[in-house]
Amino acid sequence: MNLQRYLPLLQWLPQYRKEQAASDLVAAVIVTVMLIPQSLAYALLAGLPAQVGLYASILPLVLYAVFGTSRTLSVGPVAVVALMTAAALAPIAAPGSPEYLAGAVLLAVMSGLMLTAMGLMKLGFLANFLSHPVISGFITASGLVIAASQIRHLLGIEGFGHNLLEIGESLAGNLGQTHGPTLLMGTGTLLFLIFARTHLKSLLVRSGASARAADIATKTAPILAVLVTTLLAWGLGLGALGVSLVGQVPSGLPQLTLPSMDVVVWKQLAVGALLIGVVGFVESVSVGQTLAAKRRQRLDPDQELIGLGAANLGAGFSGGMPVTGGFSRSVVNFDAGAQTPAAGAYTAVGIALATLVLTPAIAYLPTTTLAATIIVAVATLIDFPALRRTWRYSRPDFGAMLTTIVLTLLHSVEAGIVAGVGLSIGLFLYRTSRPHSAVVGRVPGTEHFRNIQRHQVETSQQVAFLRVDESLYFANARFLEETVLDLVTRQPQLKDLVLVCPAVNLIDASALESLETINERMTDAGVRLHLSEVKGPVMDRLRNTQLLSRLGGQVFLSTFEAWRALVTPAEMPLTSAR
């Protein structure tokens, strides 16, 4: 067994140098400052005690540093996964109850087990079934639901709901109970964070700060909001005035936590755990690959499954919640100069120190501050222009995207993502079940062949060249039969038919039977069936069948070779593009 394959730590640790350590430490300090308010906020978003977010930001980071392949990905609680966690747990327990917390721990463990198993089985390719429009629509809708769910904390009112309709109805019914001091602090924090995100960087640059320093300061602005509002709440006694505070947070490192062994609960959470794992994996890999490409590094998707699986197992066994790679933190980690996954391990040390030292102060942190932090953070997830771009390019993809958005907003995150995946697979099957094909002819004076509908080409009445632009499998095998028979019917003088196969990467058993049927029907009709440009792996499989020995014609290396063998110069009138 190649240990470096399953322990990427062994790839970079032997060459680890002081210069890299210094860069990683600087990045870790910055990410730690950013991660503390985020981990608290996302735990509350999931309906969990604040310390659960901190616990999920210690051991998972260390384990990902050992098993993950990204040099700069920052693992921890994220908004979308927090929302999915709350949605998965809502049917089985009330937020804040011991059963709810136990469910979150179990979700992390189950997700970790599923991801690790998928990685060992090299199933990273399964993430490709989540099309980009579906993921984009799901994340946009999730961002809207998350932002809406935090309005109650800004207003200081009671609220509930896991979709936009429930949340809206709840807010409307309690709007008259708006708490003035909470609204004032929440709105002020929100405006400050919006200003920091939109104008602070340019203001700092004009003041003489470097672009990098200004960018880092902008991204860590939430910690300033946390510090100021916490001091205000403590100094002014805002808790006594009715402002909701995080409250007492247990001090100390997380303890070993064992998940529930109740089979009924495992069954109830199985689908949610799978969706959390897969969606988290797709989001994480997308971020990791983008950052890796900038440094000409690469990610191993199968090993990433193992890395994220280990991180989630670590979160579960240390009393945390499900985790994945976060976009904003990873970008900050990258921009701050992180060189290796050790930066994540250093960040874990920083979070661990926070759980030992800062928990008394965290008790005075206003919940409305965390709500404002979440709203500004998830604003970057909302991508309405993607709807317009997708509509212009592909109406079917737009339909899948819109369905995902509508169901996520109006029903649940599970319904949205499951419908999106189902539609994506359905669209793929529909498109490939009717593969594009074209009758091609020779471009005069060349060895190139083009669609007779688009170009002036040479053709023959007795020889037809049909280019198949899709792999052949069970869903489109019958369609190919119909296409060939229609072509033969339209050309009564046809003696030879060449299937041009440069885009055929696979011929499955159903398609093989269809080819055998086509060959038999062509032979009965007095037409010889030929193949050209068959790829090596496809030809290797065909050699193990009887198709080639029974083929009425030949297998040509190129279409031009077939042209020279089958078409006589006297049969080459020009055909204009229609």
Side-chain angles (χ1 to χ4, degrees):
M1 179 186 293
N2 184 2
L3 282 179
Q4 289 190 348
R5 161 69 175 82
Y6 294 101
L7 290 174
L9 172 80
L10 299 178
Q11 299 175 15
W12 57 266
L13 188 59
Q15 291 82 37
Y16 198 54
R17 298 291 180 265
K18 291 182 179 179
E19 296 79 9
Q20 293 173 309
S23 297
D24 287 343
L25 281 169
V26 171
V29 171
I30 295 170
V31 173
T32 299
V33 170
M34 183 180 186
L35 182 54
I36 290 173
Q38 283 192 352
S39 60
L40 297 170
Y42 296 148
L44 295 179
L45 172 62
L48 296 163
Q51 68 270 17
V52 173
L54 294 174
Y55 296 164
S57 304
I58 301 176
L59 188 55
L61 277 71
V62 176
L63 290 173
Y64 182 81
V66 175
F67 294 101
T69 60
S70 173
R71 299 294 180 96
T72 54
L73 191 70
S74 180
V75 172
V78 300
V80 172
V81 169
L83 176 65
M84 296 180 72
T85 298
L89 295 176
I92 70 168
S97 66
E99 294 79 12
Y100 194 90
L101 177 58
V105 168
L106 181 56
L107 269 179
V109 171
M110 292 178 67
S111 179
L113 289 173
M114 291 174 179
L115 289 170
T116 303
M118 291 170 65
L120 293 174
M121 291 186 289
K122 299 184 177 181
L123 299 180
F125 70 91
L126 291 177
N128 297 331
F129 287 108
L130 287 171
S131 70
H132 182 75
V134 166
I135 286 294
S136 177
F138 173 71
I139 291 177
T140 292
S142 297
L144 291 171
V145 173
I146 291 169
S149 70
Q150 298 308 297
I151 294 176
R152 65 188 179 96
H153 295 300
L154 289 181
L155 301 177
I157 61 177
E158 293 294 324
F160 59 87
H162 295 285
N163 61 52
L164 214 55
L165 290 177
E166 293 177 353
I167 294 170
E169 183 180 356
S170 174
L171 291 176
N174 294 291
L175 201 57
Q177 307 300 318
T178 299
H179 187 251
T182 300
L183 177 61
L184 182 63
M185 176 167 284
T187 304
T189 304
L190 184 64
L191 292 175
F192 165 73
L193 292 175
I194 293 173
F195 168 80
R197 185 175 290 273
T198 57
H199 296 95
L200 183 59
K201 181 178 179 179
S202 59
L203 182 63
L204 292 175
V205 170
R206 287 198 300 270
S207 300
S210 66
R212 181 182 178 186
D215 188 54
I216 293 173
T218 298
K219 288 184 170 66
T220 56
I223 199 66
L224 179 59
V226 167
L227 288 173
V228 171
T229 56
T230 300
L231 288 173
L232 286 174
W234 172 71
L236 300 178
L238 296 182
L241 297 178
V243 175
S244 175
L245 306 179
V246 169
Q248 188 64 38
V249 176
S251 179
L253 297 176
Q255 303 296 314
L256 176 65
T257 304
L258 296 178
S260 168
M261 291 293 108
D262 188 336
V263 176
V264 174
V265 179
W266 279 67
K267 290 180 179 179
Q268 290 175 322
L269 296 181
V271 174
L274 179 61
L275 292 176
I276 287 171
V278 172
V279 171
F281 169 66
V282 172
E283 180 180 355
S284 179
V285 167
S286 299
V287 175
Q289 288 179 334
T290 299
L291 297 179
K294 294 182 178 181
R295 293 184 180 174
R296 299 189 179 185
Q297 298 168 348
R298 63 177 298 273
L299 266 68
D300 179 348
D302 295 325
Q303 184 60 32
E304 280 298 290
L305 282 167
I306 296 175
L308 291 173
N312 276 282
L313 287 172
F317 285 113
S318 59
M321 58 188 286
V323 299
T324 193
F327 177 76
S328 58
R329 291 194 305 273
S330 298
V331 171
V332 170
N333 197 38
F334 179 91
D335 290 341
Q339 298 297 312
T340 72
Y346 299 151
T347 300
V349 173
I351 299 297
L353 290 174
T355 64
L356 293 171
V357 178
L358 298 180
T359 49
I362 291 173
Y364 292 96
L365 174 60
T367 305
T368 190
T369 299
L370 295 179
T373 302
I374 292 173
I375 291 173
V376 173
V378 300
T380 60
L381 303 178
I382 301 170
D383 186 10
F384 288 125
L387 282 165
R388 183 174 63 253
R389 294 193 303 269
T390 307
W391 168 262
R392 290 177 177 175
Y393 186 76
S394 172
R395 302 297 168 81
D397 282 329
F398 173 82
M401 185 179 191
L402 185 61
T403 300
T404 302
I405 290 175
V406 170
L407 283 176
T408 301
L409 290 178
L410 303 184
H411 191 274
S412 64
V413 292
E414 291 92 345
I417 195 67
V418 169
V421 172
L423 282 172
S424 295
I425 296 174
L427 286 172
F428 169 78
L429 292 174
Y430 174 75
R431 289 165 176 163
T432 56
S433 69
R434 304 177 64 83
H436 180 268
S437 60
V439 177
V440 298
R442 180 189 178 215
V443 178
T446 73
E447 299 181 8
H448 300 291
F449 290 78
R450 294 293 183 269
N451 190 338
I452 65 172
Q453 302 281 356
R454 297 175 178 271
H455 301 271
Q456 276 197 331
V457 291
E458 296 172 340
T459 61
S460 167
Q461 292 296 317
Q462 297 183 355
V463 184
F465 295 82
L466 179 65
R467 190 187 69 218
V468 182
D469 296 333
E470 185 67 67
S471 291
L472 301 176
Y473 72 116
F474 66 91
N476 60 29
R478 189 59 59 91
F479 185 79
L480 177 64
E481 291 183 38
E482 295 172 357
T483 301
V484 169
L485 292 177
D486 179 65
L487 174 61
V488 172
T489 302
R490 287 187 285 107
Q491 289 189 232
Q493 300 179 21
L494 195 66
K495 295 182 178 179
D496 294 277
L497 172 64
V498 182
L499 291 183
V500 185
C501 307
V504 178
N505 299 308
L506 168 72
I507 297 178
D508 75 356
S510 298
L512 175 64
E513 291 186 9
S514 288
L515 287 176
E516 292 172 340
T517 300
I518 291 171
N519 181 58
E520 292 173 2
R521 291 178 179 175
M522 293 301 97
T523 301
D524 293 342
V527 178
R528 294 182 298 176
L529 178 66
H530 308 268
L531 304 175
S532 75
E533 300 188 35
V534 181
K535 292 188 174 180
V538 176
M539 182 59 74
D540 291 340
R541 299 186 68 177
L542 291 180
R543 288 195 180 101
N544 295 323
T545 71
Q546 296 181 343
L547 175 66
L548 298 183
S549 61
R550 296 177 178 176
L551 196 66
Q554 306 175 49
V555 178
F556 295 99
L557 183 64
S558 68
T559 307
F560 181 65
E561 180 183 285
W563 175 273
R564 289 194 304 177
L566 302 175
V567 179
T568 60
E571 300 182 75
M572 297 187 298
L574 280 178
T575 300
S576 300
R578 299 174 190 174

